[in-house]
Amino acid sequence: MPQKRVSTRKKSIYAIKPTILALAMATLFMSAAPAGAADMNLKIEIPTLNIAESHRPYIAAWIERPDQSVAANLSVWYDVKKKDKEGEKWLKDMRQWWRRTGRELHMPVDGVSGATRPAGEQKLSFNSAKGPLANLAPGDYVLMVEAAREAGSHDLVKMPFQWPPKAPQNTKAQGQTELGAVALELKP
C-alpha cells in the first residue's frame, strides 16, 4: 500500500500561523492597555464625636474635572440596612456629591456603594487597570471627599491632583467636623 506523503513545507506553514496569530494578539492588547499603570491610595479618618446619640456618617469620595463634572465615583458609604431603602433618603445631605452625580445614580452601585464605616482610619485602594480609574484620561482633577451625618453636621475636603502621576505624590487635607485627616497617595 502506498504511503501518503505530507509536504514538510505545508507543516511548517501551519506551525508558523499560531505564532503569528499570538504575536498579532499580543500587539493588539499592548496597544489597548493604558500607557502606564498607576495606583491611588486614599485614607479617610472618621473622627470619634463626643455626642449623646451618634449615627455613623455618610461619606462619598469622587473625582471631578476642572469644569466640576464628575470623572469617577470612588465610594459611597451609607446605611444600606434600613428598611425600604430609607437610608438612601439621607444621601442628599452630601450636597455637593448629590448635585454632581448622586441624584442620577440608582443605589446601590456595584463596586462603589457600601455600608457606613466606624470611627477610625478607613483605607481605599484603586489602580488604573480596573475599576473607576480604568478610563480616567490624563489631566488635572480634584479628589472630593464629603461627609454628612443624619441630623448632624456636614464636611467637605478637596484635593487637586494630576493623572497619571509622573512621580510618587502624597497630599493631605484636614476636615473640620465629620472628617479628620484625609491622605491621598499616588504612585506611577
Side-chain angles (χ1 to χ4, degrees), residues 14-141:
Y14 288 121
I16 290 173
K17 279 187 177 178
T19 305
I20 293 171
L21 180 61
L23 287 172
M25 295 295 287
T27 303
L28 178 67
F29 286 120
M30 287 174 61
S31 63
D39 294 322
M40 172 186 283
N41 297 310
L42 180 61
K43 292 179 187 173
I44 301 171
E45 180 186 13
I46 301 173
T48 301
L49 300 180
N50 191 14
I51 53 179
E53 183 181 347
S54 176
H55 300 280
R56 292 179 178 178
Y58 285 20
I59 295 179
W62 72 101
I63 298 172
E64 283 189 358
R65 298 178 187 94
D67 66 357
Q68 298 182 333
S69 63
V70 174
N73 275 297
L74 299 176
S75 191
V76 179
W77 302 332
Y78 70 101
D79 193 341
V80 295
K81 291 186 177 180
K82 285 195 170 184
K83 284 183 178 179
D84 302 323
K85 298 184 173 188
E86 190 175 329
E88 292 180 16
K89 81 176 189 182
W90 299 98
L91 288 171
K92 61 183 80 161
D93 284 0
M94 296 185 288
R95 297 183 296 260
Q96 290 283 327
W97 173 79
W98 184 256
R99 283 193 291 257
R100 301 279 197 271
T101 186
R103 62 183 166 197
E104 298 167 3
L105 298 176
H106 297 284
M107 302 304 280
V109 176
D110 192 32
V112 173
S113 58
T116 56
R117 307 278 176 99
E121 186 178 271
Q122 305 297 326
K123 297 178 181 178
L124 296 168
S125 293
F126 306 94
N127 67 53
S128 60
K130 60 183 178 181
L133 303 182
N135 297 318
L136 195 63
D140 295 325
Y141 295 97

Side-chain angles (χ1 to χ4, degrees), residues 154-165:
H154 170 267
D155 213 346
L156 177 67
V157 169
K158 300 178 182 182
M159 304 170 77
F161 70 94
Q162 287 189 324
W163 187 261

Side-chain angles (χ1 to χ4, degrees), residues 5 38 156 169 188:
R5 185 172 178 202
L156 177 67
Q169 298 175 23

